Amino acid sequence: MAEETPINTNPVPATQPEVPPVPPTPAATTANTTNTPTAPETQPVVPIDQVPMAKSHSFRTILLIAMAVVVVFLALVYLLLMLFARPKATPPPPKVEVPPVVVELPVATESSKFATDSAILKLKSDLQTLGTAIDTVDFFETQILPPSIDTKIEIRP
Amino acid sequence: MKVLLSILTAFVLIFFLTASPVAADYQTAYTDYVFAQSLYRTSYSEYQSAKSTFLTYRTLASQNEAIAKLKKVLQDRNQVVFTYYDLMYEKLQMSEGVAPEFKTTFANIRTSEQKWLTDHQKKIDAAATLNDLNNVSSEFESRYRQMSSETGQAFGAILIAKETLLNERTNSLANNLSQTIATISASGEDVSTYQRNLITARNKLTLYDEKMVQVKSALTKPIGQPVELFRGQQLIAEANQYLRDTVNSMLEIVNLITR
């Protein structure tokens, strides 16, 4: 593996020539104790694009604008996701399997030899009749239910 | 003309000879019973009103009214029971499967009870005071337990007879099916499935028999003991379901045979 060389992020050279301290002059010493240093009277010429903007907007306004930008950005991202991501998420349509068409050819089925037996057909008919009779039998006989009468009829003063 | 008249006479004679007098008698008895019940309901309502008025005001007028209404409701109650005996008698006569001995016994009971009710009616007519009417009413109350038991037994006998007839028909068809299976077996076919299903069907009939023992216990009581009518009806319905299952199983066998 190649050995990584450390990136020097410091713009200042690693080794700077040491400047010997200049002994302060008596005038400067007195001025240091009495006056604050003032800016030079003539300022250097600064290009127009480097001129800092005047502080016309408050911090709150900037914050609001930033938030609005973020919201708009998020909305755009969401819209894009909705437009492009959704079709991928939907499951593929189920495959419709068309059953093979089976053509049934008439097959000669052999029915029971008792299918037309008169005795068995009569037995079947009798069973069906009996089934109907069992289903329709009346166990409640509402017409002959005992009368509902009061047996304790009396007036005792 | 004479030919036409003779044909018409013949038709009329045939109509009267073939018409069921029992059914007509039953309808008459039922109409009389319903009418007696409606009279009783009206007089009972009036009796309650008169009783309330008398117990509230205790005036002579309200007492006379109470006596009149009490007498009327006792007469109407008597008539309801009288007609109910007629109704039960006619129903027994037209019911298939009820033992003739039971019919004869009930006919005698009906005669006896209706005689008692006729005598009781005379006592009601003769009573003129509240006290006398109360005593007559108490006589009815003690007698009615016996009457209720007698008519309840008749009711039970009618229900049991119905179910017994259905059971006899089911047993008969089960025997027919058994013989049919035997015939098929003799022809060389495999009948093991049919026989197995027939055994299952007959097992249902055994359960039916057990249920009918309970039915008879609920609907047949010694005279004087109340008949468990509602329980008996429920048990008969359960027994009937076993019959239904048996018939269904037999129908399945027949369908297998004819398939």
Side-chain angles (χ1 to χ4, degrees), chain A residues 110-116 120-121 123-124 126-135 137-157, chain B residues 26 30 33 40 44 47 51 54 58 70 73 77 80 84 87 91 134 137 141 144 155 159 162-163 170 173 177 180 184 189 229 233 236 240 244 247 250 254-255 257-259:
Chain A
E110 193 182 340
S111 61
S112 167
K113 61 182 173 185
F114 299 103
T116 52
I120 293 175
L121 290 177
L123 180 61
K124 186 176 183 177
D126 289 348
L127 281 168
Q128 284 166 341
T129 310
L130 178 59
T132 311
I134 288 170
D135 284 343
V137 66
D138 179 15
F139 296 124
F140 299 101
E141 290 285 0
T142 48
Q143 282 195 345
I144 58 165
L145 277 175
S148 82
I149 53 170
D150 185 358
T151 53
K152 280 189 182 295
I153 292 180
E154 57 185 16
I155 301 176
R156 300 225 177 258
Chain B
Y26 172 76
Y30 180 65
Y33 175 60
Y40 168 73
Y44 186 73
Y47 145 76
K51 182 181 178 180
F54 170 64
R58 293 183 186 275
L70 180 58
V73 76
R77 182 177 69 178
V80 167
Y84 186 59
L87 180 72
K91 185 70 182 179
N134 287 338
S137 183
E141 187 187 348
Y144 189 68
F155 194 108
L159 296 187
K162 276 185 182 186
E163 196 61 20
T170 310
L173 291 178
L177 183 58
T180 306
I184 294 167
E189 281 208 18
L229 213 54
Q233 284 173 318
I236 281 195
N240 196 57
R244 188 69 184 112
V247 171
M250 290 199 290
V254 172
N255 286 334
I257 293 169
T258 55
R259 193 168 59 188

Coordinates of all heavy atoms in Angstrom, one line a residue, chain A residues 110-116 120-121 123-124 126-135 137-157, chain B residues 26 30 33 40 44 47 51 54 58 70 73 77 80 84 87 91 134 137 141 144 155 159 162-163 170 173 177 180 184 189 229 233 236 240 244 247 250 254-255 257-259:
Chain A
E110 N -69.7 -45.4 -17.9 CA -70.5 -46.6 -17.7 C -71.4 -46.4 -16.4 O -70.8 -46.4 -15.3 CB -69.6 -47.8 -17.5 CG -70.4 -49.1 -17.6 CD -69.5 -50.3 -17.3 OE1 -68.3 -50.2 -17.5 OE2 -70.0 -51.4 -17.0
S111 N -72.6 -46.2 -16.5 CA -73.5 -46.0 -15.3 C -73.8 -47.3 -14.7 O -73.7 -48.4 -15.3 CB -74.8 -45.3 -15.7 OG -75.5 -46.0 -16.6
S112 N -74.2 -47.2 -13.4 CA -74.5 -48.4 -12.7 C -75.7 -49.2 -13.3 O -76.6 -48.5 -13.8 CB -74.8 -48.1 -11.2 OG -75.4 -49.2 -10.6
K113 N -75.6 -50.4 -13.2 CA -76.7 -51.2 -13.8 C -78.0 -51.1 -12.9 O -79.1 -51.5 -13.3 CB -76.3 -52.7 -14.0 CG -76.0 -53.4 -12.7 CD -75.5 -54.8 -13.0 CE -75.0 -55.5 -11.8 NZ -74.5 -56.9 -12.1
F114 N -77.8 -50.5 -11.7 CA -78.9 -50.4 -10.8 C -79.6 -49.0 -10.9 O -80.5 -48.6 -10.2 CB -78.5 -50.6 -9.3 CG -78.0 -52.0 -9.1 CD1 -76.6 -52.2 -8.9 CD2 -78.9 -53.0 -9.0 CE1 -76.1 -53.5 -8.7 CE2 -78.4 -54.3 -8.8 CZ -77.0 -54.5 -8.6
A115 N -79.0 -48.2 -11.8 CA -79.5 -46.8 -11.9 C -80.9 -46.7 -12.4 O -81.6 -45.8 -12.1 CB -78.6 -46.0 -12.9
T116 N -81.3 -47.7 -13.1 CA -82.7 -47.7 -13.6 C -83.6 -48.8 -12.9 O -84.7 -49.1 -13.4 CB -82.7 -47.9 -15.1 OG1 -81.9 -49.1 -15.4 CG2 -82.1 -46.7 -15.8
I120 N -85.1 -49.9 -6.6 CA -84.2 -48.9 -6.0 C -84.7 -47.5 -6.2 O -84.7 -46.6 -5.3 CB -82.8 -49.1 -6.5 CG1 -82.2 -50.4 -6.1 CG2 -81.9 -47.9 -6.0 CD1 -80.9 -50.8 -6.6
L121 N -85.3 -47.2 -7.4 CA -85.8 -45.9 -7.6 C -87.1 -45.6 -6.7 O -87.3 -44.5 -6.2 CB -86.2 -45.7 -9.1 CG -85.1 -45.7 -10.1 CD1 -85.6 -45.6 -11.5 CD2 -84.2 -44.5 -9.8
L123 N -87.4 -47.0 -3.8 CA -86.8 -46.8 -2.4 C -86.4 -45.3 -2.3 O -86.6 -44.7 -1.2 CB -85.7 -47.8 -2.2 CG -85.0 -47.7 -0.9 CD1 -85.9 -48.0 0.3 CD2 -83.8 -48.7 -0.9
K124 N -85.7 -44.8 -3.3 CA -85.2 -43.4 -3.3 C -86.4 -42.5 -3.1 O -86.3 -41.5 -2.3 CB -84.4 -43.2 -4.6 CG -83.8 -41.8 -4.6 CD -82.9 -41.7 -5.9 CE -82.2 -40.4 -5.9 NZ -81.3 -40.3 -7.0
D126 N -89.3 -43.0 -1.9 CA -89.9 -43.2 -0.6 C -89.1 -42.5 0.5 O -89.6 -41.8 1.4 CB -90.0 -44.7 -0.2 CG -91.1 -45.4 -1.0 OD1 -91.9 -44.7 -1.6 OD2 -91.1 -46.6 -0.9
L127 N -87.8 -42.6 0.3 CA -86.9 -41.9 1.3 C -87.0 -40.4 1.2 O -87.0 -39.7 2.2 CB -85.4 -42.3 1.0 CG -85.0 -43.6 1.6 CD1 -83.6 -44.1 1.0 CD2 -84.9 -43.6 3.1
Q128 N -87.2 -39.9 0.0 CA -87.3 -38.4 -0.2 C -88.7 -38.0 0.4 O -88.7 -36.9 1.0 CB -87.3 -38.1 -1.7 CG -85.8 -38.1 -2.2 CD -85.7 -38.1 -3.7 OE1 -86.7 -38.4 -4.4 NE2 -84.6 -37.7 -4.2
T129 N -89.7 -38.8 0.2 CA -91.0 -38.4 0.8 C -90.9 -38.4 2.3 O -91.5 -37.5 3.0 CB -92.1 -39.4 0.3 OG1 -92.0 -39.6 -1.1 CG2 -93.5 -39.0 0.7
L130 N -90.3 -39.4 2.8 CA -90.1 -39.5 4.3 C -89.3 -38.3 4.8 O -89.7 -37.7 5.9 CB -89.5 -40.8 4.7 CG -89.2 -41.1 6.2 CD1 -90.5 -41.0 7.0 CD2 -88.5 -42.4 6.4
G131 N -88.3 -37.9 4.1 CA -87.5 -36.8 4.5 C -88.3 -35.5 4.6 O -88.2 -34.7 5.6
T132 N -89.2 -35.3 3.6 CA -90.1 -34.2 3.6 C -91.0 -34.2 4.8 O -91.3 -33.2 5.5 CB -90.9 -34.1 2.3 OG1 -90.0 -34.3 1.2 CG2 -91.6 -32.8 2.2
A133 N -91.6 -35.4 5.1 CA -92.5 -35.6 6.2 C -91.8 -35.3 7.5 O -92.4 -34.6 8.4 CB -93.1 -37.0 6.2
I134 N -90.6 -35.7 7.7 CA -89.8 -35.5 8.9 C -89.5 -34.0 9.1 O -89.6 -33.4 10.2 CB -88.5 -36.3 8.9 CG1 -88.8 -37.8 9.1 CG2 -87.5 -35.8 10.0 CD1 -87.6 -38.7 8.8
D135 N -89.3 -33.3 7.9 CA -89.0 -31.9 8.0 C -90.2 -31.1 8.4 O -90.1 -30.0 9.0 CB -88.4 -31.4 6.7 CG -87.0 -31.8 6.5 OD1 -86.3 -32.2 7.5 OD2 -86.5 -31.8 5.3
V137 N -93.0 -32.1 10.1 CA -93.8 -32.5 11.2 C -94.0 -31.4 12.2 O -93.0 -30.6 12.5 CB -93.2 -33.8 11.8 CG1 -91.9 -33.5 12.5 CG2 -94.2 -34.4 12.8
D138 N -95.2 -31.2 12.7 CA -95.5 -30.1 13.7 C -95.4 -30.6 15.1 O -96.3 -31.4 15.5 CB -96.9 -29.5 13.3 CG -97.2 -28.4 14.3 OD1 -96.4 -27.9 15.0 OD2 -98.5 -28.1 14.3
F139 N -94.4 -30.2 15.8 CA -94.3 -30.6 17.2 C -95.0 -29.6 18.2 O -95.0 -29.9 19.4 CB -92.8 -30.7 17.6 CG -92.1 -31.8 16.9 CD1 -90.9 -31.4 16.2 CD2 -92.5 -33.1 16.9 CE1 -90.3 -32.4 15.5 CE2 -91.8 -34.0 16.1 CZ -90.7 -33.7 15.5
F140 N -95.4 -28.5 17.7 CA -95.8 -27.5 18.6 C -97.4 -27.5 18.7 O -97.9 -27.2 19.8 CB -95.3 -26.1 18.1 CG -93.8 -26.1 18.1 CD1 -93.1 -26.3 16.9 CD2 -93.1 -26.0 19.3 CE1 -91.7 -26.3 17.0 CE2 -91.7 -26.0 19.3 CZ -91.0 -26.1 18.2
E141 N -98.0 -27.9 17.7 CA -99.5 -28.0 17.7 C -100.1 -26.9 18.5 O -100.8 -27.0 19.5 CB -99.9 -29.4 18.4 CG -99.5 -30.6 17.6 CD -100.5 -30.9 16.5 OE1 -101.4 -30.1 16.3 OE2 -100.3 -31.8 15.8
T142 N -99.9 -25.7 17.9 CA -100.4 -24.5 18.6 C -101.9 -24.5 18.8 O -102.4 -23.8 19.7 CB -100.0 -23.2 17.9 OG1 -100.3 -23.4 16.5 CG2 -98.5 -23.0 18.0
Q143 N -102.6 -25.2 17.9 CA -104.1 -25.2 18.0 C -104.6 -25.9 19.3 O -105.6 -25.5 19.8 CB -104.7 -25.8 16.8 CG -104.7 -25.0 15.6 CD -105.7 -25.5 14.5 OE1 -106.1 -26.6 14.5 NE2 -106.0 -24.6 13.5
I144 N -103.8 -26.8 19.8 CA -104.3 -27.6 20.9 C -103.5 -27.4 22.2 O -103.5 -28.2 23.1 CB -104.4 -29.1 20.6 CG1 -103.0 -29.7 20.2 CG2 -105.4 -29.4 19.6 CD1 -102.9 -31.2 20.2
L145 N -102.8 -26.2 22.2 CA -102.0 -25.9 23.4 C -103.0 -25.7 24.6 O -104.1 -25.2 24.4 CB -101.2 -24.6 23.2 CG -99.9 -24.8 22.5 CD1 -99.3 -23.4 22.2 CD2 -98.9 -25.6 23.3
P146 N -102.6 -26.1 25.8 CA -103.5 -25.9 26.9 C -103.9 -24.5 27.1 O -103.1 -23.6 26.8 CB -102.6 -26.4 28.1 CG -101.5 -27.2 27.5 CD -101.3 -26.7 26.2
P147 N -105.1 -24.3 27.5 CA -105.6 -22.9 27.7 C -104.8 -22.1 28.8 O -104.5 -22.7 29.8 CB -107.1 -23.0 28.1 CG -107.1 -24.4 28.7 CD -106.1 -25.2 28.0
S148 N -104.6 -20.9 28.6 CA -103.9 -20.1 29.6 C -105.0 -19.4 30.4 O -105.6 -18.4 30.0 CB -103.0 -19.1 29.0 OG -103.6 -18.0 28.6
I149 N -105.3 -20.0 31.5 CA -106.4 -19.5 32.4 C -105.8 -19.3 33.8 O -104.8 -19.9 34.2 CB -107.6 -20.5 32.5 CG1 -107.1 -21.9 32.9 CG2 -108.4 -20.5 31.2 CD1 -108.2 -22.8 33.2
D150 N -106.5 -18.3 34.5 CA -106.1 -18.0 35.9 C -106.9 -18.9 36.8 O -108.1 -18.9 36.8 CB -106.4 -16.5 36.1 CG -105.9 -16.1 37.5 OD1 -105.4 -16.9 38.2 OD2 -106.1 -14.9 37.8
T151 N -106.2 -19.8 37.5 CA -106.9 -20.7 38.4 C -107.2 -20.0 39.8 O -108.0 -20.6 40.6 CB -106.0 -22.0 38.7 OG1 -104.7 -21.6 39.1 CG2 -105.9 -22.8 37.4
K152 N -106.6 -18.9 40.1 CA -106.8 -18.2 41.4 C -107.7 -17.0 41.1 O -107.3 -15.9 41.4 CB -105.5 -17.8 42.0 CG -104.7 -18.9 42.7 CD -103.5 -18.4 43.4 CE -102.8 -19.5 44.1 NZ -103.5 -20.2 45.2
I153 N -108.9 -17.3 40.7 CA -109.8 -16.2 40.5 C -110.6 -16.0 41.8 O -111.4 -17.0 42.2 CB -110.7 -16.4 39.3 CG1 -109.9 -16.3 38.0 CG2 -111.8 -15.4 39.2 CD1 -110.7 -16.5 36.7
E154 N -110.5 -14.9 42.5 CA -111.3 -14.7 43.7 C -111.2 -13.2 44.1 O -110.3 -12.5 43.6 CB -110.7 -15.5 44.8 CG -109.2 -15.2 45.1 CD -108.6 -16.1 46.1 OE1 -109.1 -17.2 46.5 OE2 -107.5 -15.7 46.6
I155 N -112.2 -12.8 44.8 CA -112.2 -11.4 45.4 C -112.4 -11.6 46.9 O -113.5 -11.9 47.4 CB -113.3 -10.6 44.8 CG1 -113.2 -10.5 43.2 CG2 -113.3 -9.2 45.4 CD1 -114.3 -9.8 42.5
R156 N -111.4 -11.3 47.6 CA -111.5 -11.4 49.1 C -111.5 -10.0 49.7 O -110.6 -9.3 49.6 CB -110.3 -12.2 49.6 CG -110.2 -13.6 49.1 CD -109.9 -14.6 50.2 NE -109.9 -16.0 49.6 CZ -110.9 -16.8 49.7 NH1 -112.0 -16.5 50.4 NH2 -110.8 -18.0 49.1
P157 N -112.7 -9.6 50.3 CA -112.8 -8.3 50.8 C -111.9 -8.1 52.0 O -111.5 -9.0 52.7 CB -114.2 -8.1 51.2 CG -114.9 -9.4 51.1 CD -113.9 -10.4 50.5
Chain B
Y26 N -113.5 -31.9 14.4 CA -112.3 -31.2 15.0 C -112.4 -29.7 14.8 O -112.2 -28.9 15.7 CB -111.0 -31.8 14.4 CG -109.8 -31.0 14.9 CD1 -109.3 -31.1 16.2 CD2 -109.3 -30.1 14.0 CE1 -108.3 -30.3 16.6 CE2 -108.2 -29.3 14.5 CZ -107.7 -29.4 15.7 OH -106.7 -28.7 16.2
Y30 N -112.7 -26.9 17.5 CA -111.6 -25.8 17.6 C -112.3 -24.5 17.6 O -111.9 -23.6 18.4 CB -110.7 -26.0 16.4 CG -109.6 -24.9 16.4 CD1 -108.7 -24.8 17.5 CD2 -109.5 -24.0 15.4 CE1 -107.7 -23.8 17.5 CE2 -108.6 -23.0 15.4 CZ -107.7 -22.9 16.5 OH -106.7 -21.9 16.5
Y33 N -113.8 -23.8 21.0 CA -112.7 -23.5 21.9 C -112.2 -22.1 21.8 O -112.0 -21.4 22.8 CB -111.6 -24.6 21.7 CG -110.3 -24.4 22.6 CD1 -110.4 -24.4 24.0 CD2 -109.1 -24.2 22.0 CE1 -109.3 -24.2 24.7 CE2 -108.0 -24.0 22.7 CZ -108.1 -24.0 24.1 OH -106.9 -23.8 24.9
Y40 N -113.8 -15.7 27.6 CA -113.1 -15.7 28.9 C -112.1 -14.5 29.0 O -112.1 -13.8 30.1 CB -112.2 -17.0 29.0 CG -111.3 -17.0 30.2 CD1 -111.7 -17.1 31.5 CD2 -109.9 -16.8 30.0 CE1 -110.8 -17.0 32.6 CE2 -109.0 -16.8 31.0 CZ -109.5 -16.9 32.3 OH -108.6 -16.9 33.4
Y44 N -112.5 -11.8 31.9 CA -111.4 -11.8 32.9 C -111.0 -10.3 33.1 O -110.7 -9.8 34.2 CB -110.2 -12.6 32.4 CG -109.1 -12.7 33.4 CD1 -109.3 -13.5 34.6 CD2 -107.9 -12.0 33.2 CE1 -108.2 -13.6 35.5 CE2 -106.9 -12.1 34.2 CZ -107.1 -12.9 35.3 OH -106.1 -12.9 36.2
Y47 N -113.6 -8.6 35.1 CA -113.5 -9.0 36.5 C -112.4 -8.3 37.2 O -112.6 -7.8 38.4 CB -113.2 -10.6 36.5 CG -112.3 -11.1 37.6 CD1 -112.8 -11.2 38.9 CD2 -111.0 -11.4 37.3 CE1 -111.9 -11.6 39.9 CE2 -110.2 -11.9 38.3 CZ -110.6 -12.0 39.6 OH -109.8 -12.4 40.6
K51 N -113.0 -5.9 40.4 CA -112.3 -6.3 41.6 C -111.5 -5.1 42.2 O -111.6 -4.7 43.4 CB -111.3 -7.4 41.3 CG -110.6 -7.9 42.6 CD -109.6 -9.0 42.2 CE -108.8 -9.5 43.3 NZ -107.9 -10.6 43.0
F54 N -114.0 -2.4 43.5 CA -114.6 -2.9 44.8 C -113.6 -2.7 45.9 O -113.9 -2.2 47.0 CB -115.1 -4.3 44.7 CG -115.5 -4.9 46.0 CD1 -116.6 -4.3 46.7 CD2 -114.8 -5.9 46.5 CE1 -116.9 -4.9 48.0 CE2 -115.2 -6.5 47.8 CZ -116.2 -5.9 48.5
R58 N -115.3 -0.1 48.0 CA -116.1 -0.9 48.9 C -117.5 -0.4 49.1 O -118.1 -0.4 50.2 CB -115.4 -1.1 50.3 CG -114.1 -1.8 50.2 CD -113.4 -2.0 51.5 NE -112.1 -2.6 51.3 CZ -111.9 -3.9 51.2 NH1 -112.8 -4.8 51.3 NH2 -110.6 -4.4 51.1
L70 N -117.4 -11.6 38.8 CA -116.7 -12.8 39.3 C -117.5 -14.1 38.8 O -116.9 -15.1 38.3 CB -116.6 -12.8 40.8 CG -115.9 -14.0 41.5 CD1 -114.5 -14.2 41.0 CD2 -115.9 -13.8 43.0
V73 N -116.8 -14.6 35.0 CA -115.5 -15.1 34.6 C -115.4 -16.6 35.0 O -114.7 -17.4 34.3 CB -114.4 -14.2 35.2 CG1 -114.2 -14.4 36.7 CG2 -113.1 -14.5 34.5
R77 N -114.5 -19.4 32.4 CA -113.4 -20.3 32.6 C -113.8 -21.8 32.5 O -113.1 -22.6 31.9 CB -112.7 -20.0 34.0 CG -111.5 -20.8 34.3 CD -110.9 -20.4 35.6 NE -111.7 -20.8 36.7 CZ -111.3 -20.6 38.0 NH1 -110.2 -20.0 38.3 NH2 -112.1 -21.0 39.0
V80 N -114.2 -22.8 28.9 CA -113.0 -22.9 28.2 C -112.5 -24.4 28.4 O -112.1 -25.1 27.5 CB -111.9 -21.9 28.7 CG1 -110.5 -22.3 28.2 CG2 -112.2 -20.5 28.2
Y84 N -112.1 -27.4 25.8 CA -110.8 -28.0 25.5 C -110.8 -29.5 25.6 O -110.1 -30.1 24.8 CB -109.8 -27.4 26.6 CG -108.4 -27.8 26.3 CD1 -107.7 -27.4 25.2 CD2 -107.6 -28.5 27.3 CE1 -106.4 -27.8 24.9 CE2 -106.3 -28.9 27.0 CZ -105.7 -28.5 25.9 OH -104.4 -28.9 25.6
L87 N -112.0 -30.6 22.3 CA -110.9 -30.4 21.2 C -109.9 -31.5 21.3 O -109.5 -32.1 20.3 CB -110.3 -29.0 21.5 CG -109.2 -28.7 20.5 CD1 -109.7 -28.3 19.1 CD2 -108.4 -27.5 21.0
K91 N -109.1 -34.3 18.5 CA -107.7 -34.4 17.9 C -107.2 -35.8 18.1 O -106.5 -36.3 17.2 CB -106.8 -33.4 18.7 CG -105.4 -33.3 18.2 CD -105.3 -32.6 16.9 CE -103.9 -32.5 16.3 NZ -103.8 -31.9 15.0
N134 N -115.9 -17.5 45.8 CA -114.5 -17.8 46.1 C -114.3 -19.3 46.4 O -113.4 -19.9 46.0 CB -114.0 -17.0 47.3 CG -113.8 -15.5 46.9 OD1 -113.7 -15.2 45.7 ND2 -113.8 -14.6 47.9
S137 N -114.6 -21.3 43.3 CA -113.4 -21.1 42.5 C -112.2 -21.9 43.0 O -111.5 -22.5 42.3 CB -113.0 -19.6 42.5 OG -111.9 -19.4 41.7
E141 N -109.8 -24.8 41.3 CA -108.4 -24.7 41.3 C -107.8 -26.1 41.7 O -106.8 -26.5 41.1 CB -108.0 -23.6 42.3 CG -106.5 -23.4 42.3 CD -106.0 -22.4 43.4 OE1 -106.9 -21.8 44.0 OE2 -104.8 -22.3 43.6
Y144 N -108.3 -28.6 38.9 CA -107.7 -28.3 37.6 C -106.3 -29.0 37.5 O -105.8 -29.2 36.4 CB -107.5 -26.8 37.4 CG -107.1 -26.4 36.0 CD1 -107.9 -26.6 34.9 CD2 -105.8 -25.9 35.7 CE1 -107.5 -26.4 33.6 CE2 -105.3 -25.6 34.4 CZ -106.2 -25.9 33.4 OH -105.8 -25.6 32.1
F155 N -102.0 -34.6 25.0 CA -101.2 -33.8 24.1 C -99.9 -34.5 23.8 O -99.4 -34.7 22.6 CB -100.8 -32.4 24.8 CG -100.3 -31.4 23.9 CD1 -101.0 -30.3 23.5 CD2 -99.0 -31.5 23.4 CE1 -100.5 -29.3 22.7 CE2 -98.4 -30.5 22.6 CZ -99.2 -29.4 22.2
L159 N -98.1 -36.1 20.2 CA -96.8 -35.8 19.7 C -96.0 -37.1 19.5 O -95.3 -37.3 18.5 CB -96.0 -34.9 20.6 CG -96.6 -33.5 20.8 CD1 -95.7 -32.6 21.6 CD2 -96.8 -32.8 19.4
K162 N -97.0 -39.2 16.5 CA -96.5 -38.6 15.2 C -95.1 -39.1 15.0 O -94.7 -39.6 13.9 CB -96.5 -37.1 15.3 CG -97.8 -36.4 15.0 CD -97.5 -34.9 15.0 CE -98.8 -34.2 14.7 NZ -98.5 -32.7 14.6
E163 N -94.3 -39.0 16.0 CA -92.8 -39.3 15.9 C -92.6 -40.8 15.7 O -91.8 -41.3 15.0 CB -92.1 -38.8 17.1 CG -90.6 -38.7 17.0 CD -90.1 -37.8 15.9 OE1 -90.9 -36.9 15.5 OE2 -89.0 -38.0 15.5
T170 N -89.2 -45.1 8.9 CA -87.7 -45.1 8.7 C -87.2 -46.5 8.8 O -86.3 -46.9 8.0 CB -87.1 -44.1 9.7 OG1 -87.7 -42.9 9.7 CG2 -85.6 -43.9 9.4
L173 N -88.0 -48.6 5.8 CA -87.1 -48.3 4.6 C -85.7 -48.8 4.8 O -85.0 -49.2 3.9 CB -87.1 -46.8 4.3 CG -88.5 -46.3 3.8 CD1 -88.4 -44.8 3.6 CD2 -88.9 -46.9 2.5
L177 N -83.7 -51.3 2.4 CA -82.4 -50.9 1.9 C -81.4 -52.1 2.2 O -80.5 -52.4 1.3 CB -81.9 -49.6 2.5 CG -80.5 -49.1 2.0 CD1 -80.5 -48.9 0.5 CD2 -80.2 -47.8 2.7
T180 N -82.0 -54.7 -0.3 CA -81.5 -54.3 -1.6 C -80.0 -54.5 -1.7 O -79.4 -55.0 -2.7 CB -81.8 -52.8 -1.9 OG1 -83.2 -52.6 -1.7 CG2 -81.4 -52.4 -3.2
I184 N -77.7 -56.9 -4.2 CA -76.6 -56.4 -5.0 C -75.3 -57.2 -4.7 O -74.6 -57.6 -5.6 CB -76.3 -54.9 -4.7 CG1 -77.5 -54.1 -5.1 CG2 -75.0 -54.4 -5.3 CD1 -77.5 -52.6 -4.6
E189 N -71.2 -57.8 -6.7 CA -70.6 -56.4 -6.5 C -70.1 -56.2 -5.1 O -70.6 -56.8 -4.2 CB -71.7 -55.4 -6.9 CG -71.8 -55.2 -8.4 CD -72.3 -53.8 -8.7 OE1 -72.2 -52.9 -7.9 OE2 -72.8 -53.6 -9.8
L229 N -94.5 -30.3 29.2 CA -94.8 -30.2 27.8 C -93.7 -29.6 27.0 O -93.3 -30.1 25.9 CB -96.1 -29.3 27.7 CG -97.0 -29.7 26.6 CD1 -97.5 -31.1 26.6 CD2 -98.3 -28.8 26.7
Q233 N -91.5 -31.3 24.1 CA -91.4 -30.8 22.7 C -90.0 -30.7 22.2 O -89.6 -31.0 21.1 CB -92.1 -29.5 22.6 CG -93.7 -29.6 22.6 CD -94.4 -28.3 22.7 OE1 -93.9 -27.4 23.4 NE2 -95.4 -28.1 21.9
I236 N -88.4 -34.1 21.6 CA -88.9 -34.7 20.3 C -88.3 -34.1 19.1 O -87.9 -34.8 18.1 CB -90.5 -34.5 20.2 CG1 -91.2 -35.5 21.1 CG2 -91.0 -34.7 18.8 CD1 -92.6 -35.7 20.9
N240 N -86.2 -36.1 16.4 CA -86.6 -36.0 15.0 C -85.3 -35.7 14.1 O -85.2 -36.2 13.0 CB -87.5 -34.8 14.8 CG -88.3 -34.9 13.5 OD1 -88.9 -35.8 13.2 ND2 -88.1 -33.8 12.8
R244 N -83.9 -37.6 10.8 CA -83.5 -36.9 9.6 C -82.2 -37.3 9.1 O -82.0 -37.6 7.9 CB -83.5 -35.4 9.8 CG -83.4 -34.5 8.6 CD -84.6 -34.6 7.7 NE -84.5 -34.0 6.4 CZ -84.4 -34.6 5.3 NH1 -84.4 -35.9 5.2 NH2 -84.4 -33.9 4.2
V247 N -82.3 -40.8 7.5 CA -82.9 -40.8 6.2 C -81.8 -40.2 5.2 O -81.7 -40.8 4.1 CB -84.2 -40.0 6.2 CG1 -84.7 -39.8 4.7 CG2 -85.3 -40.8 6.9
M250 N -79.3 -42.9 4.4 CA -79.8 -43.9 3.5 C -79.9 -43.4 2.1 O -79.7 -44.1 1.1 CB -81.2 -44.4 4.0 CG -81.1 -45.2 5.3 SD -82.5 -46.2 5.7 CE -83.7 -45.0 6.1
V254 N -78.3 -44.9 -1.4 CA -79.0 -45.1 -2.7 C -78.4 -44.4 -3.8 O -78.3 -44.9 -4.9 CB -80.5 -44.7 -2.5 CG1 -81.3 -44.8 -3.8 CG2 -81.2 -45.6 -1.5
N255 N -77.9 -43.2 -3.6 CA -77.3 -42.4 -4.6 C -76.0 -43.1 -5.1 O -75.6 -43.1 -6.2 CB -77.0 -41.0 -4.1 CG -78.2 -40.1 -4.1 OD1 -79.2 -40.4 -4.8 ND2 -78.3 -39.1 -3.2
I257 N -75.4 -46.3 -5.0 CA -75.8 -47.5 -5.7 C -76.2 -47.1 -7.2 O -75.8 -47.8 -8.1 CB -77.0 -48.2 -5.0 CG1 -76.5 -48.8 -3.7 CG2 -77.6 -49.3 -5.9 CD1 -77.7 -49.3 -2.8
T258 N -76.9 -46.0 -7.3 CA -77.4 -45.7 -8.7 C -76.5 -44.9 -9.5 O -76.8 -44.5 -10.6 CB -78.8 -45.0 -8.5 OG1 -78.6 -43.8 -7.7 CG2 -79.9 -45.8 -8.0
R259 N -75.3 -44.5 -8.9 CA -74.4 -43.6 -9.6 C -73.8 -44.3 -10.8 O -73.4 -45.5 -10.7 CB -73.3 -43.1 -8.7 CG -72.5 -42.0 -9.2 CD -71.7 -41.3 -8.1 NE -70.7 -42.3 -7.6 CZ -70.0 -42.1 -6.5 NH1 -70.1 -40.9 -5.9 NH2 -69.1 -43.0 -6.0

